[in-house]
Amino acid sequence: MSSDLLDALTALEQQKGISRDILIEAIEAALVTAYKRNFNQAQNVRVDLNLENGSMVVYSRKDVVEEVEDDRLQISLEDAKEINPAYEIGDVLEQEVTPRNFGRIAAQTAKQVVTQRVREAERGLIYEEYVDRTDDIVNGVIERQDARNIYISLGKVEAALPTNEQIQGEVYKPQSRIRVYITKVERTTRGPQIIVSRTHPGLLRRLFEMEVPEIFEGIVEIKSIAREAGDRSKISVYAHNEEIDAVGACVGAKGARVQTIVNELNGEKIDIVEWSEDPVVFVANALSPSQVLDVIVNEEEKSTTVVVPDYQLSLAIGKRGQNARLAAKLTGWKIDIKSETDARELGIYPNETSRFVQEDKDASFEDIGYDLYQDEEE
């Protein structure tokens, strides 16, 4: 093996980050293959590489046995002792069998095998790097698009953004930068396959963790997320310290924090509500921006009947039922919305057992001059 190859090993280790041991193993495997293929040898062999002078030696390996059944793989104890009296049954005897013209043939065969092993090692490193980043956000550059996917360059590897993970109506321009959420990393014969998303609720969670220090530090906790990507989302938050306003921390001064996330998602509306272990309070909060008069809970069916003022019925339901639908996903409770008039006719309002007291939860948003919500008329 020439000194040029040794220099190449060092360069690959430094530039590609591939361990020299992996490269040496690849070369040894290549030389064994070359020996067996070009010299019609089926015996068990080992190649020894001397990294100091670049030499290589091929050794045949034979098991020392009492009775020989295959002289290519075995040697009798009697013959082994003629070579070295110390040999015993079960030992492995090695003898040099390096052909004179082995170097040239081996180099040709080894080049292809080493190239393949290096490629596999690189793919392995990329896989290990990104498999640990599943459920995380990465920055990339949009490269190209076909009928099924948009391909995003993450630097060393491409990620695929499938059609069902794309936000409807969002424009993906080539060479533009984009943030995506890694949902899956798999090994394939062509290297690691990385699937990313722009619609996953986890993207919204990670964006809030990046923009809101209180969430990143664990002071404020995201309890649940309901998202209809590109249109509207709801997120419930809870502060472990009663002195901290969880919703206000996520909104930020004059809405700066949440506005950054809205801009990242190209105008997707985001409702931030306070989580409560009391389903009456939580469901009422989740239906914001609508005012709620009463919440009647059916624990057995995990359902609620919500009474709202007549003039806010359409706001509570939302366009095409979106507000009610997202509130149900956010809370995990079924929600049936009734107007005050209908509820009185049904005799379910006023409800003497109601534990819900309506609060002006949205006053703080008006005070800071940031309107998170817009009226939704059907």
Side-chain angles (χ1 to χ4, degrees):
M1 185 172 61
S2 68
S3 59
D4 290 341
L5 189 51
L6 289 174
D7 293 339
L9 293 182
T10 303
L12 284 171
E13 187 173 33
Q14 294 174 350
Q15 297 173 9
K16 303 291 186 180
I18 304 172
S19 168
R20 176 179 288 209
D21 292 338
I22 293 177
L23 296 172
I24 293 298
E25 180 184 347
I27 293 174
E28 290 177 346
L31 297 181
V32 169
T33 301
Y35 176 80
K36 292 182 177 181
R37 179 182 301 168
N38 291 280
F39 296 93
N40 298 318
Q41 297 293 326
Q43 64 198 60
N44 185 19
V45 297
R46 176 180 69 85
V47 175
D48 181 40
L49 301 178
N50 187 323
L51 299 181
E52 298 297 328
N53 57 25
S55 65
M56 55 187 168
V57 181
V58 182
Y59 294 96
S60 69
R61 294 169 55 85
K62 294 185 178 182
D63 296 326
V64 178
V65 296
E66 187 71 38
E67 183 177 348
V68 176
E69 296 180 357
D70 188 338
D71 59 8
R72 296 172 302 175
L73 305 175
Q74 299 170 330
I75 186 172
S76 68
L77 178 61
E78 181 181 353
D79 290 341
K81 284 185 175 294
E82 290 182 2
I83 299 173
N84 188 332
Y87 279 116
E88 297 180 356
I89 299 295
D91 289 343
V92 177
L93 183 147
E94 293 190 340
Q95 291 180 300
E96 182 179 350
V97 291
T98 309
R100 291 183 179 180
N101 62 339
F102 182 60
R104 178 181 60 81
I105 297 174
Q108 294 174 352
T109 306
K111 180 178 179 181
Q112 181 178 0
V113 177
V114 169
T115 300
Q116 178 64 26
R117 291 294 295 273
V118 168
R119 187 180 296 115
E120 291 173 358
E122 286 181 316
R123 290 172 175 173
L125 290 173
I126 293 172
Y127 174 82
E128 295 299 331
E129 176 183 352
Y130 283 97
V131 74
D132 292 335
R133 301 191 68 180
T134 303
D135 301 326
D136 200 1
I137 285 180
V138 292
N139 293 316
V141 177
I142 298 174
E143 291 287 331
R144 55 194 174 87
Q145 182 175 0
D146 61 22
R148 294 182 300 172
N149 302 312
I150 290 172
Y151 296 94
I152 300 167
S153 172
L154 304 181
K156 296 179 180 179
V157 67
E158 270 190 345
L161 178 64
T163 302
N164 62 332
E165 298 291 351
Q166 299 169 22
I167 295 177
Q168 187 174 4
E170 192 169 55
V171 178
Y172 301 99
K173 297 180 179 179
Q175 303 308 311
S176 61
R177 299 195 65 82
I178 189 173
R179 277 179 175 174
V180 290
Y181 180 81
I182 298 178
T183 60
K184 186 187 299 184
V185 180
E186 296 180 332
R187 290 184 186 271
T188 70
T189 55
R190 296 183 178 182
Q193 182 181 49
I194 302 174
I195 305 299
V196 295
S197 173
R198 286 281 291 173
T199 63
H200 198 285
L203 176 64
L204 191 59
R205 179 183 294 272
R206 292 301 186 205
L207 288 172
F208 269 98
E209 289 175 352
M210 293 170 64
E211 293 297 330
V212 182
E214 290 86 348
I215 293 178
F216 181 79
E217 295 168 5
I219 300 172
V220 173
E221 180 183 355
I222 296 176
K223 286 290 189 176
S224 58
I225 295 175
R227 186 178 183 207
E228 294 188 359
D231 194 358
R232 187 171 186 173
S233 296
K234 287 182 181 285
I235 177 171
S236 68
V237 294
Y238 174 75
H240 296 280
N241 186 335
E242 294 181 356
E243 297 181 357
I244 295 177
D245 178 6
V247 174
C250 295
V251 173
K254 297 184 179 180
R257 290 176 176 176
V258 72
Q259 186 60 56
T260 300
I261 298 172
V262 169
N263 292 341
E264 172 63 34
L265 299 177
N266 295 318
E268 182 175 317
K269 298 175 186 176
I270 302 174
D271 297 346
I272 305 170
V273 303
E274 186 173 356
W275 177 87
S276 174
E277 63 181 356
D278 185 343
V280 172
V281 177
F282 190 20
V283 169
N285 290 347
L287 282 169
S288 184
S290 171
Q291 179 186 357
V292 173
L293 298 176
D294 200 1
V295 178
I296 304 165
V297 175
N298 184 328
E299 295 279 358
E300 292 183 359
E301 297 182 3
K302 202 172 183 181
S303 64
T304 62
T305 300
V306 180
V307 182
V308 300
D310 292 356
Y311 70 94
Q312 292 215 344
L313 180 61
S314 62
L315 180 63
I317 296 173
K319 292 180 180 178
R320 299 177 298 279
Q322 185 185 64
N323 193 55
R325 184 169 59 250
L326 286 173
K329 289 180 181 179
L330 189 73
T331 61
W333 287 77
K334 296 178 182 178
I335 298 176
D336 181 20
I337 301 175
K338 301 289 186 183
S339 68
E340 181 180 355
T341 298
D342 289 344
R344 288 184 184 277
E345 291 177 356
L346 293 171
I348 61 175
Y349 181 77
N351 179 18
E352 295 180 357
T353 62
S354 174
R355 294 172 291 155
F356 175 67
V357 178
Q358 177 64 34
E359 299 177 356
D360 186 9
K361 300 183 293 300
D362 298 332
S364 60
F365 301 149
E366 296 175 3
D367 292 342
I368 62 176
Y370 183 80
D371 183 13
L372 280 179
Y373 311 112
Q374 297 182 12
D375 290 341
E376 297 187 21
E377 299 295 339
E378 291 200 66

